[in-house]
Amino acid sequence: MTETRVLVPDDWAIWRELRLRALADAPEAFSSTLESALARDGGEEPQREAYWRGYFRLPGAAYIAVRSESGHEAAAGMARLVTTSAPGEPAEVLSVWVAPEHRGHGVGRALIGSCIDHLAAHHPMTRLRLAVLETNMPARRLYEGCGFGVIGRNPDDDAELLLERRAAPIDQRPVELPTELVVRYRAVDREIVGTPTLDTPAHLDRLTAQIRQDGMRTPIDLAFAEEFATIDGNHRLAVALRLGLSTVPVHLTRRAGHPRPSHARTLRPEDLAVLEGALAADMRDAQPGA
């Protein structure tokens, strides 16, 4: 069984042990090195403790995963969520690592899921970003399986890709927006452009039958900055056009202005006004007691 726990500054020694193991095991995955960490770790006890407590100064949450087998508990991995109060700026997932002996048991997914849940609960309109080495396919599969999509290269490290997803509380209510507006910001027309993993005609036919019967139960993800917008839900938009739906359910989030994803579409000023108004109303409705 795997569970995640939030660490507090007094747990600095637990974080230290995992961090040193992570730097030794996967030095290419982190911006700092084992040597630099050990150099700061090797001083007097007060200095050592102050250094590791420094990891808890940033807003957010530090998670560890704990696996239980035969009554024995073991720290299996770590991840750190760093949040921001700046409008439109994403939160970040950092320091993700799973101990080799615990890989293949869903530990990474549990850690990422805890970061997503925390963000959804405390910052529901914020997007979540992380960086991953382009060549690290196991990590990329993990993140993509958790709903992250590539938005471009990391401007600070050309070997890395930046991935993002929205914070998605389970009970968040979508807003209804005109299909005509939303479709302007789709990346592709799925009636024309297929995907490597889906038989588009057959998939669209099944999706059309399902939405005709039950309605569109999965909202479209529309993220926007002042100058552009992106869509996740191109298949659903194709079906909405097939069925002649005048509106579609949308989850709105504000996106940072940089970097601009390659699939972004330039936002019309009149659409920006509509989206700003809908997002403001959505946030008011989400307030306690609203």
Side-chain angles (χ1 to χ4, degrees):
M1 183 180 71
T2 300
E3 65 172 308
T4 61
R5 300 173 185 172
V6 177
L7 298 187
V8 297
D10 286 346
D11 297 320
W12 64 269
I14 300 173
W15 185 265
R16 170 187 177 271
E17 179 182 354
L18 286 171
R19 178 70 173 177
L20 292 178
R21 282 197 67 193
L23 292 173
D25 174 66
E28 73 286 348
F30 302 98
S31 57
S32 56
T33 65
L34 177 63
E35 290 74 18
S36 65
L38 289 174
R40 297 191 178 189
D41 185 69
E44 297 296 325
E45 185 63 30
Q47 289 80 13
R48 172 185 293 178
E49 180 176 340
Y51 168 62
W52 292 105
R53 281 179 177 271
Y55 277 90
F56 298 88
R57 292 197 187 105
L58 294 174
Y63 285 97
I64 64 164
V66 177
R67 290 197 69 228
S68 301
E69 290 184 349
S70 304
H72 174 69
E73 287 190 347
M78 63 194 298
R80 190 156 60 109
L81 172 69
V82 177
T83 58
T84 176
S85 59
E89 288 298 314
E92 293 185 89
V93 180
L94 305 171
S95 304
V96 180
W97 178 76
V98 176
E101 66 271 21
H102 295 293
R103 290 170 189 167
H105 296 282
V107 173
R109 179 175 290 274
L111 288 164
I112 298 299
S114 293
C115 292
I116 293 170
D117 290 345
H118 180 101
L119 194 66
H122 300 283
H123 305 273
M125 301 302 172
T126 302
R127 296 189 70 79
L128 186 57
R129 180 179 295 179
L130 55 80
V132 62
L133 281 170
E134 184 175 13
T135 55
N136 189 345
M137 296 310 298
R140 288 179 60 181
R141 285 192 290 269
L142 166 65
Y143 299 142
E144 289 166 3
C146 291
F148 286 84
V150 176
I151 63 168
R153 290 197 173 277
N154 186 350
D156 299 322
D157 187 342
D158 193 58
E160 292 183 337
L161 299 174
L162 291 180
L163 283 70
E164 269 192 12
R165 62 153 287 151
R166 61 184 295 276
I170 294 173
D171 58 350
Q172 183 182 355
R173 290 175 294 179
V175 297
E176 288 287 330
L177 291 178
T179 304
E180 181 182 7
L181 183 157
V182 178
V183 79
R184 285 198 277 269
Y185 304 102
R186 64 182 175 179
V188 293
D189 182 348
R190 285 300 182 205
E191 292 283 9
I192 300 172
V193 181
T195 68
T197 56
L198 290 175
D199 173 3
T200 297
H203 176 68
L204 284 179
D205 289 345
R206 289 193 297 270
L207 193 59
T208 300
Q210 175 190 331
I211 291 176
R212 180 185 287 117
Q213 175 178 317
D214 302 324
M216 192 176 294
R217 293 185 172 181
T218 304
I220 291 163
D221 176 11
L222 192 159
F224 68 98
E226 187 171 341
E227 297 181 352
F228 62 86
T230 61
I231 285 291
D232 178 12
N234 293 298
H235 286 94
R236 278 162 279 155
L237 275 177
V239 170
L241 292 175
R242 278 188 178 189
L243 297 176
L245 302 181
S246 60
T247 65
V248 288
V250 175
H251 277 148
L252 288 173
T253 48
R254 201 182 306 277
R255 180 187 283 283
H258 301 283
R260 176 172 173 151
S262 59
H263 62 286
R265 298 290 180 263
T266 300
L267 189 59
R268 295 186 184 184
E270 63 270 24
D271 291 347
L272 175 61
V274 172
L275 298 179
E276 292 278 15
L279 183 59
D282 194 19
M283 294 179 71
R284 285 196 301 270
D285 290 343
Q287 294 299 315

